[in-house]
Amino acid sequence: MVSGNLFHCRKNSWPPEEYISKSTLQLFDFDSASPPEQAWRRKLNGHANLLKEFSVTFVEAIKMVRLGIRLWSYVREEASQGRKAPIDPFTRESCKPSASQGVPLGGMGSGSISRGFRGEFRQWQIIPGTCEASPVMANQFSIFVSRDGGGKKYASVLAPGQHEGLGKDGDSGISSWGWNLDGQHSTYHALFPRAWTVYDGEPDPELKVSCRQISPFIPHNYRDSSLPTAVFVYTLVNTGRERAKVSLLFTWANSIGGNSHLSGNHVNEPFIDEDGVSGVLLHHKTAKGNPPVTFAIAACETQNVSVTVLPSFGLSEGSCITAKDMWDKMVQDGQFDRDNFSSGPSMPSSPGETLCAAVAASAWVEPHGKCTVAFSLSWSSPKVKFLKGFSYHRRYTKFYGTSGKAAQTLAHDALTNYKRWEEEIEKWQRPVLMDERLPEWYKFTLFNELYFLVAGGTVWIDSSFVGKKASYDQDHLARLKNDDVKAVEAKVSGRGEEVSRTTTTTTLDGFPSIEYDDENSTSSSHASEDELMVPLKRGYTDRSYQTYKVLEPGNTEEDVGRFLYLEGVEYVMWCTYDVHFYASYALLELFPKIELNIQRDFAKAVLSEDGRKVRFLAEGKYGIRKVRGAVPHDLGTHDPWNEMNAYNIHDTSRWKDLNTKFVLQVYRDFAATRDMSFGVDVWPSVRAAIEYMEQFDRDGDGVIENDGFPDQTYDTWTVHGISAYCGCLWVAALQAAAAMAHELGDQEFAETCKSKFLKARPVLEAELWNGSYFNYDSGSSSNSKSIQADQLAGQWYTASSGLPPLFDDFKIKSALRKIYDFNVMKVRGGRMGAVNGMHPNGKIDETCMQSREIWTGVTYGVAATMILAGMEEEAFKTAEGIFLAGWSEEGFGYWFQTPEAWSTDGHYRSLIYMRPLSIWGMQWALSLPKAILDAPKINVMDRIHVSSSNTKFFNHETGVRRIATKAKCFGDSVFNCAC
């Protein structure tokens, strides 16, 4: 849909020649050593400024004082139980955030480690939901160069020595190392999932060095993309006249970030593997009962490269071998003793002692010669344990087993497979990078925003089963086993019609796969195929005892496990659904099976209920944790899948956007994949989600009303009556539900939804359309006529799914033009993105904190809507504001940590956030999938005949239903096929 070359008048290219000399680039023009034409770039001596966090105004603080007091009390209560509250604005990290991030390491869902653009390893997320931001400064690459004749020697850590705590005289730790790199002639180039660091004559003026960082993030590859490993390929080019002996050193501390290195009982041991791979294993005993972690650092020995190791050294004078001893050995010999390989496991470290290891790879590089040296890093933490005691095996264990020594095999396989990974990555990225119609900034920002799928706290488990354990005394369990629970099973015909309902009564003895408290057990793969989800007994408000199998594709060979990712590292909730609405385009485009499984998880959740009481902090009132029929806000924090709705600011069962977003996402995914099994699986939940929303149409005009509190994703921005955001989502969801019902053969429900749609749409327009855009809401508040950037979110999904537009074309374009002229261009000339709210007089809506914020992910979503409406130039100008403010050298420094929001002065709220993945909504709009493009062009609504009697929703039971796991003829499922 993009025509011509956009932005002729503005700089849209950052060629590598501006950062590296052409002669150096030519030297690296082989074996992918040279950085790509399109990449995000920085000099290593660039200043990593501290980032500025947002603050609320005095008026906003007064409005939120009661919420603040309740939230503070809740945070303290959780802390007393050894848990972190999902939202904690009161605790500050000791490491202040700075503009220092770079491409993270590893695949998805197995724990992540980020690496700053200057080379430091930071942002440790090995334990789910925990992020240790501070860099571990002992983890470094270093270089040692000596030339024939002995006159020239160089030794330096390959990172600028600009970090706190360095430079202590007489130190036996890392301050004794040579921090001699200035960084003026060294540059960093990022194109996720790879990064290049080029040392153009530093520290040796006659040696050019390129380090290529590679992680196995490969779309549609559900095996390798789960692997916790990364490769660092060094390319050495000697431009001097003398032969040079070059030794590269990789040092690593036995640590998972923070102060974990001081906890003691850590052990290192050397290893030699096949294909010349050798290195050191670092076995880390975690604190607080968390599963152990094993790291492997390794290098590959070749005909020209020799690998040696130092299995253990310390950072203090009391160590048997100190960091200074290690450094001096490398300066003198450029390698370690070969006998170290036979030293065996080290003695366990003592509390307060830091245990480190080193791998050295040495090679002679002839004059004007070239050499390649490859290192790998891997980590194995096979078990995921959540704080309330439930454990699962990570996805990669399906291929590598659960032994800690899997790290060694991972390190080996990374060194032998990375070239294939690169080929697959380049094949994936090439069409976008070669598209001359697209701005340069967009090309590399599109890929770099994917960092979140690795660094966003992702967890990917092996099994499609989610079991449940309970930690109660045996008397309580015995009483529970005798307690009756009821489950409702709906039998549905092949046309999607319910034909019968069976109620069964049983006890927990009928569910033998429930696992009771066992600290070492793993609740992952023991549920039977026939198990129902067991809802809470009516009125029971204690813990929900249930075990269930989450919906999965019928073909178990294609099972890709279960996937979680955080709303953000500061908002610790898994798969926050109102935000996934924006981010899910990335998963659908790149890992569609994961996206469908997330939707299956929420489909199952729609039909469940959790009657435990929860206090909602905004008003201080109590309610139940999860209402049947309501889409949950999230899948939980400390017990995902089983204890949902960790968010407790508002009662989200009263939110007006979650159910509609569920229907829209499901239909988009169904339309794009044409996966009929998926459609059949989730259809009862789609019906239930639509039926649940009927209660919010209080005046019977067909449109849901908001209830005078922030009852949607903008959870500080109050809405009254009919609103543009929720109303548009509702109308879009009705059309999507009608289309899906028609395609699945549920004609009665298709007619119902179409009837409701035809009734609702004109009401929405009459209430909100003012001639140029849709008013914020139909109330009478001071901001009811505000221009909301996100007012056409429903139209975005409608167009993305190939459905007919919700409104006349001129109204869609008029509203988008208004957003562009006001929300975008009136904020620093369009260089910051789209502000959420703008008064029609051109002043920013300062009703609340969120109305005056610029939301990065919403801006990308607005841009995607513009592309779908044929407004390509406005779309890229709108989205470019996020690049300029967040990613450019003149911006605020939010690269690889894009926040949820920033204010007009650039102060951030919530770094490393999920929603900016919506930039993939732009790519979706630019290249709609074939299944949508090839769909019949006849208006699907025209194919649905509405009978005169079909004007109301049916009062179907919305209890728990069994849902088919196979499509076909439903022969092997709980559906009774009526064909």
Side-chain angles (χ1 to χ4, degrees):
M1 297 180 69
V2 176
S3 57
N5 197 347
L6 302 177
F7 308 126
H8 298 285
C9 301
R10 292 199 300 278
K11 176 179 178 179
N12 67 351
S13 179
W14 291 262
E17 292 85 353
E18 293 187 8
Y19 294 79
I20 311 170
S21 66
K22 287 187 177 181
S23 59
T24 299
L25 286 172
Q26 290 172 353
L27 292 172
F28 288 134
D29 191 20
F30 74 100
D31 195 29
S32 301
S34 180
E37 286 292 321
Q38 296 89 8
W40 179 88
R41 312 184 199 279
R42 283 295 175 279
K43 286 186 176 293
L44 262 61
N45 66 345
H47 179 61
N49 57 288
L50 294 178
L51 305 179
K52 297 180 180 179
E53 192 170 8
F54 85 106
S55 59
V56 296
T57 65
F58 177 76
V59 173
E60 291 166 353
I62 293 298
K63 289 180 180 179
M64 293 192 290
V65 65
R66 289 187 178 87
L67 168 60
I69 292 170
R70 296 186 194 107
L71 183 56
W72 179 75
S73 177
Y74 173 69
V75 168
R76 290 188 63 191
E77 179 185 346
E78 286 293 285
S80 70
Q81 301 294 322
R83 298 190 295 263
K84 181 180 179 180
I87 300 175
D88 178 6
F90 309 106
T91 305
R92 290 290 177 265
E93 297 288 344
S94 58
C95 177
K96 294 182 179 180
S98 62
S100 57
Q101 300 286 21
V103 174
L105 305 172
M108 300 187 297
S110 297
S112 71
I113 306 165
S114 291
R115 193 173 184 222
F117 74 88
R118 297 188 303 192
E120 68 274 18
F121 295 85
R122 57 192 311 133
Q123 229 46 54
W124 299 73
Q125 298 186 76
I126 305 298
I127 297 173
T130 301
C131 180
E132 295 287 354
S134 301
V136 176
M137 294 307 297
N139 298 349
Q140 299 289 346
F141 284 99
S142 303
I143 192 167
F144 304 83
V145 185
S146 60
R147 293 185 175 271
D148 279 352
K152 299 176 182 178
K153 280 195 171 187
Y154 304 90
S156 180
V157 178
L158 287 174
Q162 304 171 1
H163 306 280
E164 295 180 10
L166 300 180
K168 298 177 183 176
D169 293 332
D171 184 23
S172 297
I174 63 173
S175 291
S176 63
W177 297 354
W179 298 86
N180 302 318
L181 195 78
D182 176 78
Q184 181 179 357
H185 301 292
S186 300
T187 52
Y188 181 83
H189 312 257
L191 186 65
F192 179 89
R194 296 190 293 173
W196 292 254
T197 306
V198 176
Y199 307 89
D200 194 358
E202 289 190 277
D204 181 347
E206 296 180 329
L207 184 70
K208 312 296 184 181
V209 181
S210 169
C211 173
R212 191 164 81 258
Q213 172 187 312
I214 308 150
S215 291
F217 182 97
I218 305 166
H220 307 286
N221 183 330
Y222 296 90
R223 181 190 188 279
D224 293 353
S225 296
S226 72
L227 304 184
T229 189
V231 177
F232 307 89
V233 181
Y234 281 84
T235 302
L236 313 173
V237 181
N238 182 6
T239 60
R241 296 180 179 179
E242 304 95 4
R243 189 172 64 143
K245 182 182 181 182
V246 181
S247 297
L248 291 162
L249 175 71
F250 189 14
T251 52
W252 198 258
N254 197 322
S255 168
I256 58 171
N259 295 319
S260 60
H261 54 288
L262 301 176
S263 59
N265 290 313
H266 310 314
V267 174
N268 295 354
E269 63 172 318
F271 70 86
I272 299 177
D273 210 315
E274 298 175 348
D275 302 310
V277 175
S278 56
V280 181
L281 293 173
L282 299 90
H283 304 291
H284 185 87
K285 183 176 175 61
T286 58
K288 300 179 181 179
N290 286 304
V293 182
T294 297
F295 293 95
I297 55 173
C300 190
E301 193 161 81
T302 65
Q303 186 176 0
N304 190 38
V305 178
S306 173
V307 177
T308 56
V309 301
L310 182 62
S312 62
F313 67 91
L315 302 183
S316 60
E317 289 186 7
S319 304
C320 181
I321 301 175
T322 66
K324 185 178 187 302
D325 296 335
M326 184 277 301
W327 187 266
D328 291 344
K329 172 72 171 176
M330 287 298 300
V331 170
Q332 179 178 339
D333 299 335
Q335 61 187 22
F336 300 115
D337 297 334
R338 297 289 301 183
D339 292 344
N340 290 343
F341 281 114
S342 58
S343 61
S346 68
M347 292 293 293
S349 62
S350 302
E353 176 188 7
T354 302
L355 188 64
C356 303
V359 174
S362 307
W364 284 98
V365 187
E366 299 297 325
H368 307 291
K370 302 175 181 179
C371 181
T372 299
V373 179
F375 293 88
S376 65
L377 165 69
S378 64
W379 55 97
S380 178
S381 180
K383 186 181 289 188
V384 179
K385 180 180 179 183
F386 293 100
L387 282 182
K388 291 194 174 178
F390 309 112
S391 300
Y392 310 93
H393 284 130
R394 295 189 192 266
R395 166 76 174 169
Y396 79 89
T397 63
K398 183 181 182 75
F399 316 107
Y400 285 85
T402 59
S403 166
K405 289 200 173 183
Q408 176 178 326
T409 310
L410 283 160
H412 167 274
D413 289 358
L415 287 169
T416 54
N417 290 325
Y418 74 85
K419 291 183 179 180
R420 174 177 57 82
W421 293 345
E422 286 196 285
E423 289 175 0
E424 294 184 40
I425 291 168
E426 289 171 1
K427 181 180 178 181
W428 156 47
Q429 294 182 335
R430 188 176 298 113
V432 173
L433 298 178
M434 298 299 289
D435 192 339
E436 296 181 355
R437 302 168 299 171
L438 300 175
E440 296 294 298
W441 67 264
Y442 170 79
K443 295 178 183 179
F444 56 78
T445 306
L446 176 71
F447 293 113
N448 285 337
E449 287 285 18
L450 290 170
Y451 84 93
F452 188 83
L453 289 176
V454 172
T458 53
V459 171
W460 195 354
I461 67 168
D462 170 28
S463 178
S464 61
F465 295 88
V466 177
K468 186 144 181 73
K469 301 186 297 181
S471 54
Y472 292 92
D473 63 84
Q474 294 302 313
D475 290 340
H476 193 169
L477 292 172
R479 289 195 300 272
L480 181 69
K481 284 188 176 184
N482 295 322
D483 208 356
D484 291 346
V485 291
K486 292 185 177 181
V488 178
E489 175 182 337
K491 292 189 177 181
V492 186
S493 74
R495 297 187 300 275
E497 301 166 341
E498 182 180 311
V499 295
S500 67
R501 181 179 291 109
T502 304
T503 301
T504 58
T505 303
T506 185
T507 68
L508 282 183
D509 284 325
F511 298 92
S513 69
I514 292 181
E515 300 179 24
Y516 302 120
D517 189 30
D518 177 359
E519 193 65 24
N520 298 315
S521 68
T522 301
S523 55
S524 61
S525 58
H526 307 292
S528 73
E529 182 84 13
D530 297 324
E531 281 179 328
L532 282 174
M533 179 172 178
V534 184
L536 268 175
K537 187 176 179 182
R538 186 177 299 278
Y540 189 72
T541 57
D542 202 347
R543 185 168 182 78
S544 166
Y545 297 88
Q546 56 191 17
T547 180
Y548 61 91
K549 178 181 172 187
V550 189
L551 304 177
E552 64 167 297
N555 186 351
T556 56
E557 293 181 1
E558 295 181 0
D559 173 52
V560 297
R562 287 295 171 269
F563 189 84
L564 298 170
Y565 65 147
L566 291 175
E567 179 178 338
V569 297
E570 297 177 39
Y571 297 162
V572 187
M573 295 165 283
W574 300 110
C575 295
T576 299
Y577 201 72
D578 55 307
V579 185
H580 180 69
F581 175 78
Y582 298 83
S584 59
Y585 282 91
L587 285 174
L588 181 58
E589 178 79 27
L590 306 175
F591 298 95
K593 292 180 183 178
I594 289 177
E595 164 62 10
L596 296 188
N597 277 358
I598 290 175
Q599 300 300 349
R600 286 184 172 95
D601 289 344
F602 278 91
K604 190 72 175 182
V606 168
L607 303 177
S608 71
E609 182 163 306
D610 185 342
R612 285 170 291 177
K613 285 187 176 179
V614 174
R615 191 186 192 197
F616 300 110
L617 303 179
E619 297 180 356
K621 296 180 180 179
Y622 285 86
I624 68 171
R625 178 175 291 277
K626 169 66 178 67
V627 175
R628 186 178 287 114
V631 173
H633 172 274
D634 55 79
L635 292 178
T637 292
H638 301 306
D639 186 9
W641 295 295
N642 297 306
E643 186 180 272
M644 293 170 282
N645 281 336
Y647 177 90
N648 61 348
I649 304 298
H650 298 289
D651 179 357
T652 59
S653 69
R654 297 172 59 201
W655 276 19
K656 310 306 183 293
D657 64 338
L658 290 169
N659 280 41
T660 53
K661 286 175 175 176
F662 171 71
V663 174
L664 289 170
Q665 287 183 72
V666 163
Y667 182 75
R668 178 206 57 189
D669 297 354
F670 176 66
T673 63
R674 309 313 299 173
D675 187 330
M676 295 301 292
S677 176
F678 168 74
V680 167
D681 281 353
V682 300
W683 178 240
S685 299
V686 172
R687 286 190 57 150
I690 289 288
E691 291 167 354
Y692 181 88
M693 295 300 291
E694 171 89 345
Q695 63 184 301
F696 301 121
D697 177 13
R698 306 191 192 283
D699 56 7
D701 64 357
V703 184
I704 60 172
E705 288 89 34
N706 293 86
D707 284 331
F709 76 101
D711 50 357
Q712 25 71 46
T713 194
Y714 300 89
D715 59 353
T716 69
W717 200 357
T718 298
V719 199
H720 300 274
I722 296 174
S723 70
Y725 184 67
C726 295
C728 186
L729 289 171
W730 168 242
V731 172
L734 286 172
Q735 179 174 244
M740 191 167 181
H742 175 73
E743 294 185 52
L744 291 176
D746 191 346
Q747 293 305 322
E748 283 187 310
F749 197 72
E751 292 175 26
T752 298
C753 291
K754 179 178 179 180
S755 175
K756 199 73 171 180
F757 169 81
L758 293 175
K759 182 178 180 180
R761 181 171 60 177
V763 173
L764 180 68
E765 294 186 82
E767 287 286 339
L768 299 180
W769 180 252
N770 61 21
S772 61
Y773 65 95
F774 293 91
N775 291 335
Y776 176 67
D777 65 29
S778 63
S780 56
S781 62
S782 61
N783 71 323
S784 288
K785 288 182 168 48
S786 284
I787 309 160
Q788 184 179 12
D790 215 1
Q791 62 185 270
L792 290 178
Q795 171 58 29
W796 173 27
Y797 259 72
T798 295
S800 294
S801 305
L803 289 171
L806 298 179
F807 313 109
D808 292 338
D809 186 62
F810 87 89
K811 290 183 178 179
I812 295 170
K813 289 186 175 179
S814 173
L816 291 171
R817 169 58 63 179
K818 195 75 172 183
I819 293 165
Y820 178 75
D821 290 342
F822 280 69
N823 301 60
V824 177
M825 297 307 297
K826 288 187 182 297
V827 181
R828 299 202 178 183
R831 298 179 64 83
M832 293 199 72
V835 69
N836 283 337
M838 178 73 77
H839 289 296
N841 63 3
K843 293 184 178 180
I844 291 174
D845 184 345
E846 297 189 350
T847 304
C848 67
M849 172 184 74
Q850 291 176 346
S851 64
R852 62 182 172 89
E853 286 181 328
I854 294 157
W855 283 15
T856 53
V858 167
T859 299
Y860 287 142
V862 171
T865 311
M866 290 175 173
I867 292 171
L868 290 162
M871 300 170 61
E872 294 93 348
E873 184 156 355
E874 292 88 345
F876 281 99
K877 172 62 177 175
T878 296
E880 188 185 30
I882 301 302
F883 167 76
L884 293 172
W887 288 81
S888 74
E889 203 157 3
E890 298 77 27
F892 300 107
Y894 296 129
W895 43 82
F896 299 102
Q897 52 188 332
T898 315
E900 155 76 317
W902 51 63
S903 58
T904 53
D905 55 6
H907 294 188
Y908 75 89
R909 180 170 62 81
S910 187
L911 294 171
I912 311 181
Y913 196 78
M914 181 199 294
R915 204 181 318 248
L917 284 171
S918 61
I919 192 173
W920 280 86
M922 295 178 65
Q923 190 61 22
W924 185 269
L926 291 166
S927 53
L928 288 172
K930 189 174 186 294
I932 290 176
L933 291 174
D934 291 349
K937 301 306 178 186
I938 302 173
N939 187 329
V940 67
M941 300 300 274
D942 293 340
R943 305 205 305 266
I944 302 172
H945 172 71
V946 179
S947 62
S948 58
S949 61
N950 197 349
T951 58
K952 293 184 179 180
F953 280 103
F954 300 113
N955 293 318
H956 285 293
E957 172 73 39
T958 57
V960 177
R961 297 172 177 146
R962 293 273 301 266
I963 298 175
T965 57
K966 301 181 188 294
K968 299 181 182 177
C969 194
F970 308 115
D972 298 324
S973 75
V974 297
F975 280 31
N976 286 342
C977 183
C979 62

